[in-house]
Amino acid sequence: MPRHPSLPLTETTYLILLSLIKPAHGYVIMQEVDRLSNNNVKIAPGTMYGALDNLLKQGWIKEVKSEDKRRKVYQITKSGYDVIEAETKRMHKLLNLAEELMRGES
Amino acid sequence: MKQIIKRKVFLFKDLDKQEAWINSFRKEGYRFINKKFPACFVFEKIDDKVPITRIDYREFEKSSEYQNYIQLFSDMGWTVVSSRKNSGVHYFQQNNPNSEDFIYSNKESYAEIYKRYSQQALNWSIIFLFFFTIFSTGDISYSLFNPRTAFLTPGLWEMTGWQFWSSFIFEIPFALMRLLSKVIWLVLAAWMGFEAFVNKRKYNDLIHNSN
């Protein structure tokens, strides 16, 4: 199976997509990414806005209706979901390979 | 509250230098509160610690998108200080005065500021070049490359002596105005083209040094 052309993803992109399986706005995404990464990935507002803008343009996320007039709420799309699925498979293979080789060495 | 106005011209926008310059007054207790056109920065003297100011560059098509942007910064602890939907340059201040945080958390996304500004400057350059071509062609009888044609006094170049000089000198300001009204578009186009180049180079440098 040919690899998805957009892989590998950056850690930031991967975590943002993961946190958008449920609909969320920018601030919630930031908190979610912080939590998912055990406080290792902190996304600043300029970077967050740019990342969401790019993901929208790529069609990996979409805007969803919300009652909040001031904040846009986003959610992952089918193609966005395909991307994280492909990326997760890729990392799985890599992890299995690494574990196998490291076990063999010791 | 005591306000002071400091003037400084940043020729190529120089967003990073602008930011450093604004923040250099924190030590003296001056908080940046507004940017006014042209080259006019308003500060106020405060007794508390002065929060850090960061600059972003972004264009917006819709007001709702702009509002969403300002709200995101506000949610993340940044108060907007000076910004309009179409101002391109936006000034934010960190709510916590002890923090030296950035509004970008990686170099790639920070570098994009300069790419966006470069693109915008290039667009302006093309628009000004378009104006220049419009005003340089058509039913206008004088040409930039032949300044004599900007003098419209009938028979001027056939006159001699005192009559020539008095008519010639009298018309100089008018001829200059006719010529300048064209040249200005070319100057603006070249200026914006240069800004586009300088900022694109800055973007390339930042991306290159990020590894």
Side-chain angles (χ1 to χ4, degrees):
Chain A
M1 195 181 77
R3 189 204 256 195
H4 196 287
S6 312
L7 303 188
L9 300 177
T10 63
E11 196 177 5
T12 310
T13 308
Y14 188 65
L15 290 170
I16 291 177
L17 286 174
L18 279 178
S19 48
L20 281 177
I21 291 174
K22 283 178 294 184
H25 61 69
Y27 183 66
V28 172
I29 301 169
M30 191 261 302
Q31 287 178 315
E32 194 59 10
V33 167
D34 193 36
R35 187 182 69 82
L36 291 173
S37 67
N38 292 321
N39 308 350
N40 279 318
V41 180
K42 305 234 181 247
I43 307 179
T47 302
M48 176 65 85
Y49 188 86
L52 293 172
D53 199 39
N54 286 336
L55 291 172
L56 276 171
K57 279 179 189 150
Q58 276 168 298
W60 292 354
I61 64 171
K62 63 181 179 201
E63 226 186 289
V64 292
K65 280 215 165 69
S66 80
E67 275 149 44
D68 196 332
K69 289 270 179 292
R70 309 185 63 88
R71 296 173 185 84
K72 298 218 159 154
V73 177
Y74 310 92
Q75 191 170 15
I76 198 162
T77 59
K78 173 77 175 62
S79 61
Y81 200 87
D82 290 345
V83 172
I84 47 170
E85 217 170 22
E87 175 71 339
T88 309
K89 274 187 191 148
R90 185 192 69 86
M91 287 195 290
H92 254 304
K93 271 189 207 158
L94 216 56
L95 283 176
N96 289 340
L97 186 69
E99 274 167 11
E100 230 172 77
L101 286 171
M102 284 156 84
R103 231 178 289 131
E105 293 264 327
S106 58
Chain B
M1 236 174 314
K2 195 184 144 209
Q3 285 192 2
I4 59 159
I5 290 171
K6 291 180 191 285
R7 287 178 190 280
K8 191 166 167 82
V9 176
F10 292 92
L11 288 182
F12 309 110
K13 281 275 195 294
D14 287 326
L15 297 173
D16 50 347
K17 285 180 199 156
Q18 238 187 83
E19 197 178 277
W21 181 77
I22 287 171
N23 287 322
S24 71
F25 299 106
R26 288 172 75 208
K27 292 193 295 285
E28 302 155 37
Y30 287 107
R31 189 177 82 91
F32 172 64
I33 53 169
N34 204 1
K35 164 81 197 294
K36 286 182 181 159
F37 185 79
C40 201
F41 296 82
V42 187
F43 293 82
E44 68 173 12
K45 178 92 173 139
I46 59 170
D47 296 327
D48 302 328
K49 204 165 175 206
V50 182
I52 201 154
T53 302
R54 298 288 181 206
I55 303 179
D56 197 13
Y57 185 87
R58 201 174 272 282
E59 306 270 334
F60 298 93
E61 279 169 24
K62 291 189 205 144
S63 318
S64 62
E65 201 42 70
Y66 174 66
Q67 192 177 45
N68 177 48
Y69 165 80
I70 295 295
Q71 187 64 49
L72 178 66
F73 274 72
S74 159
D75 286 346
M76 293 201 185
W78 293 85
T79 304
V80 63
V81 187
S82 182
S83 152
R84 276 171 293 110
K85 177 182 163 256
N86 297 316
S87 59
V89 184
H90 310 280
Y91 301 83
F92 292 96
Q93 245 157 36
Q94 168 67 269
N95 291 349
N96 172 9
N98 293 312
S99 164
E100 303 272 318
D101 275 355
F102 295 94
I103 53 171
Y104 283 90
S105 40
N106 57 50
K107 264 190 181 171
E108 291 79 5
S109 60
Y110 172 67
E112 296 279 329
I113 291 182
Y114 297 98
K115 194 178 169 188
R116 287 196 291 273
Y117 183 60
S118 173
Q119 186 56 53
Q120 195 57 34
L122 192 65
N123 292 346
W124 279 112
S125 179
I126 292 164
I127 290 167
F128 289 139
L129 212 56
F130 179 66
F131 280 145
F132 174 70
T133 2
I134 289 178
F135 292 122
S136 300
T137 52
D139 210 24
I140 301 167
S141 57
Y142 48 92
S143 152
L144 197 59
F145 305 102
N146 187 3
R148 274 188 173 207
T149 54
F151 290 84
L152 301 180
T153 309
L156 175 72
W157 305 104
E158 282 75 46
M159 292 175 187
T160 49
W162 165 247
Q163 200 196 9
F164 168 74
W165 286 109
S166 59
S167 308
F168 177 69
I169 290 167
F170 173 78
E171 207 181 349
I172 281 179
F174 300 100
L176 272 181
M177 254 153 54
R178 286 181 198 120
L179 289 172
L180 278 179
S181 67
K182 288 177 164 192
V183 174
I184 192 80
W185 299 111
L186 194 60
V187 170
L188 285 171
W191 183 253
M192 283 293 144
F194 193 55
E195 275 206 35
F197 168 76
V198 166
N199 283 279
K200 187 70 202 303
R201 196 177 53 186
K202 182 138 207 169
Y203 168 73
N204 290 340
D205 286 351
L206 283 166
I207 287 294
H208 201 70
N209 294 333
S210 64
N211 297 321

